Amino acid sequence: MRHPKEIVLKDGTEVLIRPLASADELPLRRFYSGIAEEDRWYMRFDVMDPTVIHGWVEDQKEVFSMLALCAGEIVAHARLHTHHYGCYHHQGRLRIIVDPRYRQKRLGSWMLLDLIHLAMEKGLREVRADFVVGVEQAAIESAYKLDFFKKALLEDFVIDPQGQLHDLLIMTKRLHKDWGDF
Ligand SMILES: CC(C)(COP(=O)(O)OP(=O)(O)OC[C@H]1O[C@@H](n2cnc3c(N)ncnc32)[C@H](O)[C@@H]1OP(=O)(O)O)[C@@H](O)C(=O)NCCC(=O)NCCS
């Protein structure tokens, strides 16, 4: 996969996609400080904690990050979480977050495709993404469009900031050795 990659969004905005580099630590912290609590809550990591961002920047052995930048500013962050050992080592887990100003312009889909490509290059057999039903509906729609399938639905499994329980949808996509299925 060649990076940096230039893409043009639905509205003509030009965006650059490239892997995270060590100089991105502060800009990535700035990016997350602009993301609303209601989006951050479901991310499983406290991205307002500088040690979390530091960990992702410093050590990319298990967590690989891609950034999208517009005029030098980070506008999306996508992660592929992997395991070197054990029963999950064939599988990667995906997570994407797009700056609200850049949503619904296909940036999330571009990032998702990039992570799938990265997972294929790493020889993974499957990618997985977990979504909170009714909250992460946009992400569920874009996953269906890229041939992710429902693996399981865990009822009343995650909790929102108000204490309300929601279902968790686990979706997976099988990977093949070439790009034939795209
Ligand atoms: C989910 C998210 C990454 C999608 O990014 P995006 O750049 O807006 O997505 P895209 O523009 O590529 O949309 C792809 C498809 O998803 C669906 N979609 C996107 N936003 C939607 C919305 N608000 N409502 C319903 N469907 C939506 C559409 O089907 C769209 O396809 P289309 O362009 O052909 O209509 C973004 O909304 C986000 O960062 N949300 C908060 C964090 C999150 O939920 N992350 C997902 C965990 S992996």
Side-chain angles (χ1 to χ4, degrees):
M1 199 172 20
R2 281 205 204 114
H3 288 104
K5 182 156 70 189
E6 275 176 34
I7 56 162
V8 180
L9 303 184
K10 245 178 173 176
D11 63 350
T13 310
E14 288 178 15
V15 167
L16 198 78
I17 297 183
R18 64 158 172 82
L20 179 73
S22 46
D24 294 319
E25 185 168 343
L26 278 178
L28 190 57
R29 279 171 55 186
R30 215 174 301 128
F31 166 74
Y32 276 112
S33 64
I35 299 292
E37 160 82 25
E38 63 203 36
D39 283 341
R40 284 190 278 107
W41 179 262
Y42 300 97
M43 296 194 64
R44 293 162 193 88
F45 295 90
D46 180 5
V47 287
M48 298 310 278
D49 177 351
T51 62
V52 169
I53 305 290
H54 184 73
W56 288 340
V57 171
E58 281 301 297
D59 185 0
Q60 297 212 40
K61 281 203 292 289
E62 291 202 337
V63 184
F64 303 89
S65 284
M66 284 289 168
L67 298 180
L69 296 108
C70 185
E73 185 196 2
I74 298 175
V75 294
H77 178 211
R79 305 187 315 265
L80 172 70
H81 289 252
T82 63
H83 299 270
H84 281 302
Y85 171 79
C87 60
Y88 287 112
H89 91 274
H90 66 298
Q91 203 179 65
R93 233 166 131 151
L94 310 180
R95 197 75 205 162
I96 300 170
I97 184 124
V98 175
D99 179 319
R101 294 170 298 160
Y102 289 82
R103 287 181 192 171
Q104 291 182 276
K105 298 176 183 185
R106 300 256 162 81
L107 181 54
S109 302
W110 278 104
M111 300 295 274
L112 192 53
L113 269 175
D114 235 53
L115 286 189
I116 292 170
H117 209 162
L118 183 65
M120 289 168 86
E121 282 183 353
K122 294 193 176 303
L124 297 175
R125 279 207 227 166
E126 194 173 54
V127 282
R128 162 183 172 174
D130 298 359
F131 303 108
V132 183
V133 178
V135 176
E136 298 180 322
Q137 252 354 91
I140 293 172
E141 293 304 322
S142 55
Y144 273 122
K145 285 200 170 160
L146 286 177
D147 290 332
F148 277 72
F149 290 97
K150 172 183 169 179
K151 194 76 171 182
L153 183 74
L154 307 179
E155 288 178 16
D156 290 339
F157 197 70
V158 293
I159 198 158
D160 69 20
Q162 287 76 40
Q164 187 90 32
L165 291 170
H166 296 267
D167 298 347
L168 186 77
L169 176 64
I170 299 178
M171 295 183 82
T172 58
K173 177 180 170 65
R174 280 282 175 90
L175 302 179
H176 303 284
K177 284 201 180 71
D178 54 39
W179 278 90
D181 63 339
F182 282 102

